[in-house]
Amino acid sequence: MIYAPVMGRFASKNPSDPMSWRRLTQREKPAAGEVVRSKMVNVKPAYVWDVSQTTGAEIPERPMPRLLEGEAPAGLWTGLAGQVTAERFTLADAAGASAIMGANGMTDYESRVVTVRADMDDAARVKTLAHELGHVRMHDPAESVTHHRGIREVEAESVAMMIGAAHGMDTSDYTIPYVASWASSVADKEPVDVVRETGERVRRVALDILDKLPDTGIGDGYPPGLDRSGPDAERETTTERTAELGAAAPMRSTASVDVAVPAL
């Protein structure tokens, strides 16, 4: 017997006011404009088996993100770094993951510093920088409308995937398990719904970042999800971005971090 958590759902139209939260009943839906969060309210006895007491096929392990290997596309680091500094952030290197809480990268809004591990291959570093630029552009605590950590990580990694795809990089070994894990952490939503609901916001930010990067002259198409016929097409610039689709596939990503093993 173990003690298992009892979770409750709470809703508020003014999340910053601790007294504004009300607990939702089992099937109650939040009112329009309310933010919903879950928290542990009690514990209950639950019974479990140790794996040594079971028989049958091995339980499959969840795929884990794998750092990209090899070189980065020429000029991509410089272009992304320029956008980070244009947002008035300082770009810094970390000797390893231990220097930034076990992460590959970190965006600290208070000190306005973006840090990326220096002990990774260039491909992993540039993908991580694109992820952190996604945080910079989308998740400033003073302006962000996205409060759940899982949603923020899905958005930032999806931006990184699209930027990578536009430059001939296949980030799926890292992005697919990373996005799947964080999307699964969002309470009361199916992972596929989390990805779908963030898609248009990710598309807009990724396009804006790509429009400000130098033309790399790779291929003559757009990466998955970057269709300029979307609802905000009229406000996008006419700069023609080039991309090599290659093997890339749709949704195959106070401080925000790009962690190798998400702590769910």
Side-chain angles (χ1 to χ4, degrees):
M1 193 270 287
I2 64 169
Y3 287 111
V6 176
M7 305 299 292
R9 295 186 308 137
F10 295 80
S12 170
K13 287 190 175 182
N14 184 18
S16 61
D17 179 5
M19 302 302 295
S20 68
W21 292 90
R22 63 185 184 87
R23 185 170 180 180
L24 300 175
T25 60
Q26 185 174 5
R27 292 182 174 82
E28 183 181 2
K29 294 184 178 180
E34 285 189 321
V35 174
V36 177
R37 295 179 184 169
S38 297
K39 70 175 182 178
M40 190 175 77
V41 295
N42 208 335
V43 295
K44 62 182 179 181
Y47 296 88
V48 298
W49 295 96
D50 183 78
V51 67
S52 64
Q53 297 171 284
T54 65
T55 60
E58 291 294 321
I59 299 173
E61 295 184 4
R62 174 180 290 181
M64 300 301 292
R66 292 170 50 194
L67 291 177
L68 305 185
E69 298 179 349
E71 297 181 355
L76 184 54
W77 175 274
T78 301
L80 295 173
Q83 293 192 41
V84 168
T85 56
E87 296 287 341
R88 293 180 296 133
F89 277 75
T90 300
L91 184 58
D93 285 339
S98 60
I100 46 176
M101 303 190 302
N104 297 329
M106 175 180 290
T107 298
D108 190 320
Y109 301 96
E110 184 174 349
S111 63
R112 300 193 74 80
V113 174
V114 169
T115 308
V116 177
R117 281 175 57 185
D119 61 341
M120 301 187 294
D121 281 5
D122 287 348
R125 277 174 52 79
V126 80
K127 197 283 301 176
T128 300
L129 181 58
H131 177 112
E132 300 307 326
L133 179 56
H135 282 308
V136 168
R137 291 291 308 277
M138 305 171 81
H139 303 140
D140 187 328
E143 303 174 0
S144 177
V145 297
T146 303
H147 301 287
H148 194 287
R149 171 74 183 281
I151 295 175
R152 295 199 304 268
E153 295 303 324
V154 167
E155 289 181 334
E157 186 63 20
S158 298
V159 166
M161 182 276 292
M162 290 185 172
I163 292 170
H167 291 81
M169 294 178 65
D170 180 4
T171 70
S172 57
D173 282 350
Y174 193 97
T175 296
I176 292 176
Y178 189 94
V179 167
S181 293
W182 281 111
S184 299
S185 74
V186 181
D188 306 316
K189 286 184 181 291
E190 292 296 322
V192 67
D193 292 329
V194 174
V195 175
R196 183 182 297 114
E197 291 170 8
T198 60
E200 178 57 25
R201 178 170 157 83
V202 165
R203 188 189 74 88
R204 291 198 308 267
V205 172
L207 277 173
D208 190 58
I209 292 172
L210 286 169
D211 280 339
K212 295 174 181 176
L213 291 173
D215 189 349
T216 58
I218 298 177
D220 60 358
Y222 294 110
L226 294 185
D227 179 5
R228 290 175 176 267
S229 63
D232 289 307
E234 66 275 4
R235 78 170 190 79
E236 292 162 8
T237 70
T238 57
T239 303
E240 288 298 325
R241 297 299 306 152
T242 59
E244 181 181 60
L245 298 184
M251 275 336 300
R252 283 248 309 181
S253 108
T254 53
S256 292
V257 297
D258 177 12
V259 294
V261 182
L264 303 180

